[in-house]
Each structure stands twice: as structure tokens, then as C-alpha cells.
Amino acid sequence: MVENVKELLKAHAGITHEVYLDNENSTIVPQEVVDAMLPYYNQRAYGNPTLTHKPGWEAFETIMSSAQKISGFVGAKILEELTFTPSETEANNLALMGSAFANKNKGKKIVISEIEPINVLHVTELLRKFGFTTTKIPVDNEGFIDLEKLKETVDKETSVVSIAAVNNELGTIQPIKEASSIVKDRNPDAVFHTDASDAYGRIPLNVRDLKVDLATVSSYKILGPRGIGALYTREGVNVDKILEGQIGTQKLWPGIENTPLIVGFARASELAFQNFEINVNRMRKLRNELVDGIFAELSEVKLNGPEGDKRAPDNANISFMRCEGEALTIELSLNGVYVSSGSACSRRLLQPSHVLVAIGRKFSEAHGSILMKTTRYHTEEDITYVLKVLPNAVKRLRGIVGSTGVD
Amino acid sequence: MSRVPLPYNPKILDLFRNPKNLGPMEDATVTAVAGNPACGDMITFYLKISEQEIVERASFESYGCAANIATSSIVTEMIKGLSLEATWKDITWKRVTEEVGGLPSVKFHCGVLAVGALKRAIRKYYEQKGSAPSWLPQDLTFEEKQALEEEELAKTLSKRLKSEAEK
């Protein structure tokens, strides 16, 4: 198997230009972030932050000042409201499970949207085993949640509501402030969580302004290292810890904190926010050129998610009809353009993304979808190159499909 | 459950990049389709069959992944010059899988679907002719059943999703 992968890599030998757009699934970590992290592996603050010696105190001080920075960027009141977790996945697990368990005497009904990320969706399925029920709020064909339905659904039994601030696949910016006020109106005891991983660094975000109880942010979604995320927990909100282990500096997550990753997360946040407007405008400009260029070159394409300022600035999700997504990712890779497809092959059927199905896309439209995200590190040349390669790739694959892929 | 990147071998990659016998055939004796776009897999075979019931030429069109394209392409090469009887008996999904140098297990169904489409084409040829040879079984073969099941599964799923959406 590994031999085959080596051969696949060799097939990429002639590539002249590479553009990485699969920033939904992993990203580069810029050198300045890596540089910030490196000293914390062996030069300073390598101690356990709970222990009484210099490297331990250094670690404690480093973790707290990193937490201070990130707390500031999300709008937390005090740094203790932030819990570092190994990633967005753990933060969402902690938010859902931790608040469901802590508030189980108040109600066992969980409310989420139909298009929540897998690490929320699957946690609610797990919670079913503990007697919790889940109600999913539908979304319209651009991915916006139905606020009327939310109002009807949230009741005295509702203990947790989770709606992502920006949908990771569609870039849809949800009306979180309205949603949280509806929830609190209906039931002041219900805990409101938002996965803000795709909002952080892309749209203005302030947890106090949005009036949310819990919010997830993730390092790798802002070009920080993988393996670190955080959950904001508003002071006074009850959340149980969900893992047991050695007691660290944090109440809600056990184990010894990973100082270099926390430093990387904080540094990546600083870089994203220090020129926020410039960064966001750059992402948006390049994203628009990418989408507009694709629509100018190709017919039978559909944008998934909203247009304009209700869409995150980096997100481009496009369905190419009569073109299967996995084949397209390979064809593009062989030409140096790296993207991901909205469907994953299971044993018998291609499984379409639940998000694309929820906004009413047909299976075949979901199968031909490609998700791309621009970053501030992309250049005009990158987009020009993608617009040279991508239409040809789609045309070649449509040539193989012929009249076959029409349903 | 876990996921690995699909480790396609060099032969599949080559057939994906340079498929053989691609495109419709105007003078095809018989045409057959298996799968549908909702499954993410769909294959059309065009066969030119001689009076002696030899496959003179075969071509294909395919909506699907690299494995789907590669297996379809190799089938058109494997059956060229074979009698319909030999085609029916010798071309199984396992042989097709071997011929492309092996497939990742999640992609076995691509080979199965290609052979399902091929067997449908042969049945259709005899239906058009109005008589069937003794070697052609009445019952559907494994590959034909699987193709049918895959199509049914996709229909059921689409319906279920539609009814959920309407709720």
C-alpha cells in the first residue's frame, strides 16, 4: 500500500506550481508560527506548569499569557474562561457532553442545526445512549438556520443548543446573536454553544456581544499548529469535565498542557488579528477571483452556500455537474492544485456530505463538489494558476463521463 | 472505522490519465448502463458484436472515481476478440480487479459494477436477438445483483432524504 502511495507521489514529479486550497482539512503552519514555538520544546518553559520550579513557572506564565491573548481575540472577560483542548473535536465534545451532563437535571433535550460539523453531530448521537434526545433545526438552501423553527423547538426541557457561527463547508455566517437571544428567551437555563472555528480570524467575533455561553476555536483553522483548540466557557456556566487524568492548570481538561502548541496557537491568532481587515480583504478578493473565474470558464457549476457578505471571506464550495469529486481531486493534484471533495467513498456508495444534502443538493451535485479555502498567504499568481488548471481538469473528466452522468 | 488515502496503484493511475476505448460508439450492436450518478458510479458500455458472436470492439463512458474509470477501461480491453460465451464466463470482478493490479477494498464495488454492466450488455444482446444460448443462466449473476442492489440503495437513500427534507 505504501509502495503505491510512493508511486503516486512520483507521478507528481513534473509539477511546476503548487497551490494548496484544502485549508478545511489541514493547513500550512507559517514559518513565523513555527519559529515562535520552537524555543518552548527545549530552551524555556518546557516544565510541567503545575510544578514548583523555574521551567514549571515559565510554562505556567507562558500558558496564561497565551490564554490571555486568545481570550482577548474572542472577547472573553477573563482568561480563566478559556480551556485548551487537543483540538476542535475535543472542545466540541467537552461543550456538548460536559454541559449536557452538568445540566441533566434541567432537561435532556439537545438542539442543533442540521449542518453542524461531525464532531457535534456524532456527539449528540453518543448522548442518545445516555437518555438525551436531539432535535435538528433545518436550514434553507444557503445554509441559514430557520429561526422560527428554533423558537418553536427550544422549550423548558432543552438543556443545550449548539449552532456553528460559520458553517465549515458552506461559509454561511449564522445569525448567532439572534439565535442565542431566542434560546435565552425561551429558556434562560439552556446552555448556548457555538463552534466558532470557522468564524475566528474571518469575521468579527465577540462572545460577550453574541451572548453565547460556550464557544469553540481551533488553532489549525487559523494556520496554527494542529493538535490544539480551545473552549470558551462563560464564567458561571456549568460544564462537567469529560475526561479524567492528572490534574493540570485547567479545571475542565486533565493532563499536562502542551506549551509549544499553545504558543503556536496564540502566535497564529496574533498574526490573524494584527492586520485583521487586510487579511480578510485579501482572502475575500482571492476567493472572489477564484469563484468568478470558475463561473466564467465553465458551465454546469453551482455555488454551494450564500453569496456576498453573509459568506465567510475564505470559503469557495462549488459543485461541478457531470464530474465526480474524487476523480477531480486526483486530476487536480496531478497538476499541483490540492482541494477536497464533499463526498467520501464508503464500501458501496459514495456518501454525500450531510451539509450539502441539508441545503437540498442532489446526490450527484454533492458528489461533484469541491471545497476550497483561501488564506492570506495565497497570491494572485496562485489563483491564475488554479484558473488555468481547474477548467481543463473538469473538461477532461466530463469528456470521460460523456452522456453517462446525467440523472 | 478508519480512513486512509486511496493508494491507487500505477496501473490504475495510468488508466485514469489515459483511458483506452473511451467514448460512445455509433455502430454499437448493444449498449448497457449500470449504476447511477446518485451512487457516485455509473458506467455505459458499447459493444460491437460480430455475427459469430465475437466482441469486435468495446468502448465505455464512465461517471465515477479513478477506480471506476480504470476498471471500465480495462474491461473494454480484456474482452476485445473474445466470444460472448468466453466473455460471460471468464470476466469476473475478481479478474478485473487482478487485471488493474488490485483495488483498495472500498473500491471493489467499482470492478463489480463494471462487470455488472458488461453482463447486462450480453443479456440485452440476446434479448434483442430473441433467443438465448444454453450457457446463459436465467438467474442474475453476483455482479448483476450487486449493480441492481447499488441502484436500489441509491434510490431508497434519495427517497428517504427527500421525505426527511419534506417533514
Side-chain angles (χ1 to χ4, degrees), chain A residues 124-383:
Chain A
T124 62
E125 282 162 24
L126 178 69
L127 282 167
R128 205 177 298 168
K129 291 180 189 160
F130 297 92
F132 293 88
T133 61
T134 303
T135 308
K136 291 181 197 163
I137 305 297
V139 296
D140 68 13
N141 59 14
E142 292 183 329
F144 292 105
I145 50 161
D146 185 337
L147 291 173
E148 277 306 309
K149 205 75 173 196
L150 183 68
K151 196 182 277 179
E152 286 168 27
T153 306
V154 175
D155 55 19
K156 291 291 161 206
E157 279 300 301
T158 305
S159 59
V160 188
V161 180
S162 179
I163 297 163
V166 169
N167 180 267
N168 59 326
E169 290 186 32
L170 304 171
T172 309
I173 300 173
Q174 301 291 2
I176 291 299
K177 198 171 180 173
E178 288 86 336
S180 71
S181 97
I182 287 171
V183 169
K184 294 293 172 183
D185 244 23
R186 301 281 297 151
N187 180 356
D189 286 337
V191 174
F192 192 97
H193 167 249
T194 185
D195 181 344
S197 302
D198 271 72
Y200 191 55
R202 293 166 180 79
I203 60 168
L205 175 75
N206 184 305
V207 288
R208 271 183 291 171
D209 187 37
L210 293 176
K211 294 197 163 43
V212 298
D213 299 312
L214 310 173
T216 297
V217 286
S218 169
S219 164
Y220 93 87
K221 286 270 169 101
I222 51 152
L223 309 179
R226 266 180 293 173
I228 190 79
L231 182 70
Y232 158 81
T233 308
R234 186 171 59 77
E235 198 181 19
V237 173
N238 281 334
V239 177
D240 283 354
K241 63 179 173 172
I242 58 168
L243 287 184
E244 293 301 329
Q246 187 175 339
I247 295 169
T249 62
Q250 316 193 103
K251 272 188 225 151
L252 289 177
W253 203 265
I256 305 165
E257 290 76 2
N258 193 327
T259 310
L261 292 183
I262 289 171
V263 168
F265 187 7
R267 184 68 190 131
S269 302
E270 283 177 334
L271 292 170
F273 284 93
Q274 73 188 10
N275 293 308
F276 184 77
E277 289 293 323
I278 293 170
N279 291 339
V280 166
N281 288 338
R282 182 179 183 89
M283 284 185 235
R284 183 181 290 114
K285 180 167 183 283
L286 294 174
R287 191 275 314 276
N288 289 348
E289 286 169 8
L290 179 64
V291 173
D292 293 348
I294 288 169
F295 275 74
E297 283 289 321
L298 288 168
S299 58
E300 297 176 90
V301 287
K302 264 188 191 173
L303 182 71
N304 298 313
E307 283 182 66
D309 58 3
K310 292 281 178 65
R311 186 186 191 103
D314 57 335
N315 179 300
N317 186 333
I318 295 175
S319 284
F320 300 88
M321 265 60 84
R322 294 196 303 110
C323 186
E324 195 271 332
E326 186 203 295
L328 185 55
T329 62
I330 296 175
E331 181 74 2
L332 289 173
S333 178
L334 293 166
N335 288 287
V337 175
Y338 312 124
V339 302
S340 62
S341 157
S343 294
C345 202
S346 70
R347 208 152 286 271
R348 291 295 295 282
L349 293 179
L350 205 55
Q351 297 290 335
S353 137
H354 69 286
V355 175
L356 294 177
V357 172
I359 63 165
R361 288 289 182 254
K362 290 197 281 190
F363 277 28
S364 53
E365 292 169 340
H367 295 332
S369 73
I370 292 293
L371 178 54
M372 298 171 278
K373 290 183 181 178
T374 54
T375 73
R376 63 180 183 273
Y377 289 93
H378 286 118
T379 62
E380 296 282 346
E381 290 72 38
D382 289 338
I383 302 304

Side-chain angles (χ1 to χ4, degrees), chain B residues 20-148:
Chain B
K20 308 285 189 306
N21 309 314
L22 175 65
M25 190 191 290
E26 294 216 336
D27 59 340
T29 321
V30 68
T31 304
V33 184
N36 76 47
C39 324
D41 267 319
M42 190 168 176
I43 298 163
T44 307
F45 279 126
Y46 302 87
L47 306 184
K48 177 70 183 167
I49 297 164
S50 74
E51 281 181 19
Q52 292 73 38
E53 302 192 338
I54 305 285
V55 180
E56 284 183 342
R57 281 176 285 129
S59 72
F60 81 98
E61 291 175 306
S62 144
Y63 169 87
C65 62
N68 179 296
I69 293 165
T71 50
S72 309
S73 175
I74 209 142
V75 164
T76 62
E77 291 190 290
M78 288 168 80
I79 63 176
K80 199 180 170 191
L82 287 188
S83 70
L84 286 186
E85 184 177 1
T87 303
W88 184 274
K89 289 177 177 166
D90 296 349
I91 309 295
T92 61
W93 74 271
K94 280 185 184 152
R95 268 211 57 204
V96 170
T97 306
E98 274 165 32
E99 206 69 24
V100 293
L103 283 169
S105 62
V106 292
K107 296 294 184 183
F108 283 168
H109 69 102
C110 295
V112 175
L113 194 70
V115 175
L118 177 67
K119 296 207 155 160
R120 273 187 190 169
I122 294 172
R123 270 194 208 280
K124 201 168 156 194
Y125 170 80
Y126 286 113
E127 272 166 28
Q128 286 172 7
K129 209 178 155 190
S131 70
S134 57
W135 51 261
L136 188 73
Q138 294 253 309
D139 293 340
L140 294 183
T141 56
F142 170 73
E143 290 92 345
E144 292 169 282
K145 278 186 200 156
Q146 292 281 308
L148 207 60

Side-chain angles (χ1 to χ4, degrees), chain A residues 91-131:
Chain A
N92 283 347
N93 271 262
L94 175 60
L96 273 279
M97 271 197 265
S99 57
F101 289 144
N103 299 293
K104 63 177 183 294
N105 294 333
K106 292 179 184 161
K108 288 197 138 186
K109 179 170 164 183
I110 296 167
V111 177
I112 63 172
S113 86
E114 278 186 312
I115 58 168
E116 289 312 297
I118 295 294
N119 53 33
V120 165
L121 202 58
H122 287 189
V123 181
T124 62
E125 282 162 24
L126 178 69
L127 282 167
R128 205 177 298 168
K129 291 180 189 160
F130 297 92

